[in-house]
């Protein structure tokens, strides 16, 4: 076999006196993959995350909620057990999610416009979709009585 480089094929690899050889681990790192679009995967996941739309209550539904709140205010000393379905707005995108919270009502804060439960949960009044209560067996007002 003869070729144009036969005369240099058997020569030792040249080494520089000024530049030491790169260690094999560093040399391999040159060719490792990298994230060219840092955060792109997280942005796609955030866009794909589904949120609920806020349901706008009509005037009748708002009036019913107001009546329930007035009845609860009358019974606030009993700390009635209530179940509240309310809208929690999403911090990153339009929409949010509906949560259902159950607990004993501590007070209705008219200044901050919030329901405050004994466990410390605070629910904004404008985000409430529905308020329910346990039946008579617990001595608390039922849904019809709220």
């Amino acid at each position: 076999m003869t070729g144009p480089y036969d005369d240099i094929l058997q020569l030792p690899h040249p080494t520089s006196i000024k530049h030491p050889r790169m260690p094999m681990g560093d040399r391999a790192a040159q060719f490792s993959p990298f994230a060219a679009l840092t955060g792109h995967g997280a942005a796609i996941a955030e866009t794909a995350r589904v949120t609920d739309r806020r349901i706008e209550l009509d005037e009748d539904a708002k009036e019913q909620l107001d009546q329930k709140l007035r009845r609860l205010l009358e019974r606030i000393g009993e700390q009635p057990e209530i179940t509240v379905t309310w809208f929690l707005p999403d911090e990153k995108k339009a929409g949010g999610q509906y949560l259902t919270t159950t607990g004993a009502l501590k007070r209705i804060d008219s200044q901050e416009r919030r329901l405050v439960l004994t466990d410390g949960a605070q629910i904004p009044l404008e985000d409430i979709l529905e308020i329910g209560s346990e039946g008579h067996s617990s001595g608390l007002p039922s849904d019809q009585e709220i």
Side-chain angles (χ1 to χ4, degrees):
M1 201 178 359
T2 60
Y5 301 107
D6 287 343
D7 58 334
I8 60 171
L9 281 178
Q10 302 306 320
L11 294 176
H13 183 60
T15 56
S16 171
I17 298 172
K18 294 181 181 179
H19 303 288
R21 290 189 76 130
M22 182 181 285
M24 289 301 273
D26 293 344
R27 186 177 164 94
Q30 292 182 42
F31 304 103
S32 65
F34 67 98
L37 301 173
T38 305
H40 184 65
I44 290 174
E46 177 62 27
T47 303
R49 189 171 54 86
V50 177
T51 58
D52 294 328
R53 292 183 111 158
R54 180 188 296 261
I55 298 171
E56 294 298 327
L57 299 176
D58 61 11
E59 291 303 316
D60 291 336
K62 288 180 184 179
E63 182 59 36
Q64 288 176 354
L65 273 178
D66 285 344
Q67 288 176 5
K68 289 180 181 184
L69 287 170
R70 281 193 292 270
R71 289 186 186 127
L72 282 172
L73 192 55
E74 293 170 2
R75 303 180 79 124
I76 201 78
E78 301 171 19
Q79 292 188 338
E81 183 88 9
I82 60 171
T83 300
V84 181
T85 302
W86 58 290
F87 184 76
L88 177 65
D90 195 290
E91 295 177 0
K92 295 183 179 181
K93 62 193 288 188
Q97 63 180 333
Y98 278 94
L99 303 174
T100 300
T101 304
T102 300
L105 181 62
K106 183 176 180 180
R107 72 178 198 273
I108 299 175
D109 186 345
S110 58
Q111 295 266 7
E112 296 289 324
R113 299 197 36 80
R114 296 179 182 273
L115 292 180
V116 180
L117 305 182
T118 55
D119 65 358
Q122 296 187 14
I123 303 168
L125 293 177
E126 62 270 3
D127 293 336
I128 295 175
L129 179 65
E130 180 61 41
I131 299 175
S133 179
E134 299 297 321
H136 287 285
S137 60
S138 62
L140 303 174
S142 66
D143 282 334
Q144 291 81 21
E145 291 185 42
I146 294 183

